[in-house]
């Protein structure tokens, strides 16, 4: 009889989100099935040698674009920006884009102003690229080069596997533009295994932390360099699934004002994975701790943050630039676990739908 | 005897901040005393015709840089970005900057990584500009062109007059680069008078709003286009002086996730000053209101936001692009007034100093 009752019960809140967090290693493997397309696109970018790589995106895709700034800056040494969509699409700025590459990032490929941004960029002479989970979407139609995420259908409103595949896609594209495609292809494959390996251990630790966070209403997530994208994405997960007013800041930004708002009910999540970012993050974390904030640390160097109440280290990937594929996962899992603790459904947060049509 | 007691009393909390808010029209007038320098700098930029205008700044100066993206984008039609300081200074990215103009913005001119950013940009071939309140500072030494803010000594830790003069400085520089310097010079002069004229009326209304906000712990500030800078600056003022977890978002960003966190204790401040930005801000405001959020509106079109609990309209400046000089003022005043209501000292928030040396 219990088995019949169990069948009648709705699935537990957040089961889509949890499944998709677990599916990330496979999603990354599927992305690598398109490595040839990324290699050709990287070659096309290299021939163009763009003065500016412009990325247009919203939400989690825009967080992945924060990563792209570093992937293009550090691999081919190009200036890459999270471009202002509204400047072109709504304010009609007449920019000369003949020396630009414009990349639209959208899981659904249906975000209206990202599609329009790419159409306009193409008309103004940019080399256009669509990175999307739907290669038959309007975004794909608008761009000259289409790069699939191949993450598989994402059903939870909160993006996870489409975020990490976007990060990997930008790493792979930038690496190919720098002539380092094969090494990064191997690196992403190995990193996917590391993600799979660390999930069970992380999952066991999260409920305890979620309990401690059940009454947290505000949080800062700090990071530097490639891990600023991770800080942004962790903050967005906590905002949209757990109703925590989580604001992402660079470690330096924290010192320039927001630190004054910290108190013991205002935890700080520090993401740190490389020695370059470490001093600023340690400095910011120490200031926050002096003001009574509880610290959570993730990233490959999480154990280097003194006084962290919770340290969630992740293994080091073959290339340091791939660390964000790992360090975001503790944040995804905490969002799921904290939503459970609060009785919220992270698969369908109030006021959100999977495809955002807001302009 | 009362007069002696009064002399012994410390000045009321926040008197520096309030004085400096009031001093903004004079500060803008002093900036215009340097119009010739801005005209020459605009001409130098025009000769260079930069592929990218890169702005490097932190805190309020970085908020002014958000405005610069639109000033350069809409006036000379140039791509201007808030550049990643850490990518160059800490991660050592080897970007080709020969087609770039690099602008360092710092009130004190002593922010270490902004100075280092400009030094590196100059060494890599960029045309370098310092916009600073101290033309004898290290930042001024590092740059080829020095543009003074002439805001006068700013003593409150929370920046006000140095923010608005930076916004005006970027407008004036971009206008000169577009051959429209004199019109904007007149426009800024007229806008300064409008600021002076609206202050008394605004000040009378603020205590009532501050009282209603006394227990607010979190807030979203939304804006689009040139007014996104205003949303960022209002959020920063509330964070640093009133300990409100205030996060700035573009109107579209709000729909891409954060809207799910809204509840009746989570007000939304909407800044709207032009018809291009209006539909997105109205749409975002309506979603927020449907979830129970209380709305505050500022900007020239503040009265167009239906259902706003508090509307703080400002007069329209001669050029729409100058609206941010006006629409930030209600936020500055609310920060002062709310700090009073909470018994906090906005002139010296905990954990902050006037010159931030954090890297």
């Amino acid at each position: 009889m219990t088995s019949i009752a169990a069948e009648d019960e709705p699935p537990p809140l957040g089961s889509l989100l949890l499944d998709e967090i677990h599916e990330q290693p496979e999603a990354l493997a599927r992305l690598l099935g398109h490595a040839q397309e990324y290699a050709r696109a990287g070659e096309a970018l290299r021939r163009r040698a763009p003065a500016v790589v412009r990325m247009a995106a919203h939400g989690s895709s825009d967080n992945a674009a924060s990563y792209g700034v570093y992937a293009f800056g550090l691999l081919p040494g190009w200036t890459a920006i999270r471009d202002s969509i509204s400047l072109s699409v709504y304010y009609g700025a007449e920019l000369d884009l003949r020396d630009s590459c414009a990349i639209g990032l959208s899981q659904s490929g249906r975000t209206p102003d990202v599609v329009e941004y790419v159409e306009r960029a193409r008309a103004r002479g940019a080399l256009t690229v669509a990175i999307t989970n739907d290669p038959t979407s309007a975004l794909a139609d608008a761009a000259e080069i289409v790069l699939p995420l191949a993450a598989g259908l994402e059903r939870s409103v909160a993006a996870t596997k489409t975020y990490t595949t976007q990060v990997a896609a930008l790493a792979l594209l930038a690496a190919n533009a720098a002539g380092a495609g094969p090494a990064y292809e191997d690196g992403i494959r190995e990193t996917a295994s590391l993600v799979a390996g660390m999930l069970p251990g992380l999952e066991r630790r999260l409920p305890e932390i979620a309990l401690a966070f059940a009454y947290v209403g505000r949080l800062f997530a700090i990071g530097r360099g490639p891990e600023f994208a991770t800080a942004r994405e962790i903050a967005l997960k906590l905002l949209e699934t757990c109703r925590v007013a989580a604001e992402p800041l660079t470690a330096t930004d924290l010192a320039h004002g927001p630190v004054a708002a910290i108190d013991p009910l205002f935890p700080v999540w520090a993401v740190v994975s490389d020695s370059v970012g470490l001093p600023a993050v340690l400095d910011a974390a120490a200031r926050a701790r002096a003001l009574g904030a509880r610290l959570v640390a993730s990233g490959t160097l999480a154990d280097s943050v003194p006084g962290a109440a919770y340290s969630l280290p992740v293994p080091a990937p073959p290339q340091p630039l791939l660390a964000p594929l790992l360090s975001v996962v503790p944040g995804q899992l905490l969002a799921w676990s904290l939503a459970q603790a609060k009785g919220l459904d992270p698969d369908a947060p109030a006021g959100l739908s999977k495809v955002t049509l807001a302009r």
Side-chain angles (χ1 to χ4, degrees), chain A:
Chain A
M1 297 305 282
T2 32
S3 69
I4 291 172
E7 273 172 34
D8 284 350
E9 274 173 15
L13 293 181
S15 57
L16 298 178
L17 179 62
L18 186 61
D19 285 351
E20 287 164 1
I21 291 171
H22 277 268
E23 205 193 324
Q24 291 180 104
E26 296 155 55
L28 290 168
R30 279 194 298 268
L31 173 77
L32 291 176
H34 296 269
Q36 284 310 312
E37 292 154 68
Y38 282 83
R40 282 195 298 273
E43 186 50 44
L45 262 65
R46 201 140 67 128
R47 281 196 303 273
R48 186 71 162 245
V52 186
V53 176
R54 298 164 186 271
M55 293 172 285
H58 291 296
S60 287
S61 305
D62 184 46
N63 297 343
S66 288
Y67 175 80
V69 170
Y70 284 84
F72 285 106
L74 295 176
L75 290 170
W78 293 345
T79 294
I81 67 174
R82 290 165 47 216
D83 205 4
S84 166
I85 294 172
S86 72
L87 182 64
S88 302
V89 171
Y90 303 115
Y91 288 86
E94 305 204 341
L95 309 174
D96 182 349
L97 303 187
R98 287 169 298 177
D99 282 342
S100 289
C101 167
I103 303 177
L105 293 139
S106 166
Q107 185 280 128
S108 69
R110 292 193 277 151
T111 312
D113 57 11
V114 174
V115 176
E116 190 171 339
Y117 173 93
V118 169
E119 287 169 348
R120 282 173 180 253
R122 188 169 177 175
R124 298 192 80 85
L127 174 64
T128 50
V129 179
I131 296 182
T132 174
N133 211 18
D134 182 357
T136 67
S137 60
L139 181 62
D141 286 347
E144 291 150 283
I145 297 173
V146 180
L147 293 173
L149 291 175
L153 182 66
E154 188 170 64
R155 293 192 297 157
S156 172
V157 167
T160 52
K161 61 178 180 169
T162 57
Y163 170 75
T164 40
T165 49
Q166 281 176 331
V167 166
L170 289 166
L172 198 54
L173 182 59
N176 276 294
Y184 271 80
E185 201 181 317
D186 292 346
I188 292 167
R189 187 170 293 112
E190 195 175 320
T191 304
S193 302
L194 295 173
V195 172
M198 78 183 184
L199 278 168
L202 268 177
E203 222 173 309
R204 276 192 298 274
R205 293 196 54 204
L206 266 301
E208 175 208 345
I209 306 177
L211 208 63
F213 272 65
Y215 294 97
V216 162
R218 348 192 267 182
L219 177 144
F220 288 136
I222 60 171
R224 164 169 280 188
E227 291 291 27
F228 179 52
T230 308
R232 293 187 77 203
E233 179 63 7
I234 291 176
L236 181 56
K237 289 308 100 167
L238 293 172
L239 250 179
E240 64 185 355
T241 66
C242 303
R243 305 186 142 210
V244 175
E247 181 170 0
L249 296 167
T250 68
T252 314
D253 280 344
L254 181 69
H256 280 263
V259 71
I262 283 178
D263 63 33
L265 286 170
F266 209 134
V268 172
W269 187 307
V271 188
V272 58
S273 287
D274 64 44
S275 54
V276 183
L278 190 61
V281 172
L282 290 188
D283 185 53
R287 281 162 167 263
R289 203 156 65 95
L291 293 162
R294 189 150 38 165
L295 299 181
V296 187
S298 71
T300 64
L301 300 181
D303 281 339
S304 312
V305 180
Y310 302 102
S311 169
L312 300 164
V314 299
Q319 289 95 349
L321 197 56
L322 296 177
L325 293 174
L326 294 146
S327 45
V328 73
V329 178
Q332 296 171 333
L333 279 171
L334 180 65
W336 169 78
S337 189
L338 182 53
Q340 300 273 312
K342 290 180 136 182
L344 298 169
D345 182 1
D347 290 338
L352 294 185
S353 54
K354 184 64 190 165
V355 179
T356 308
L357 300 176
R359 300 172 62 104

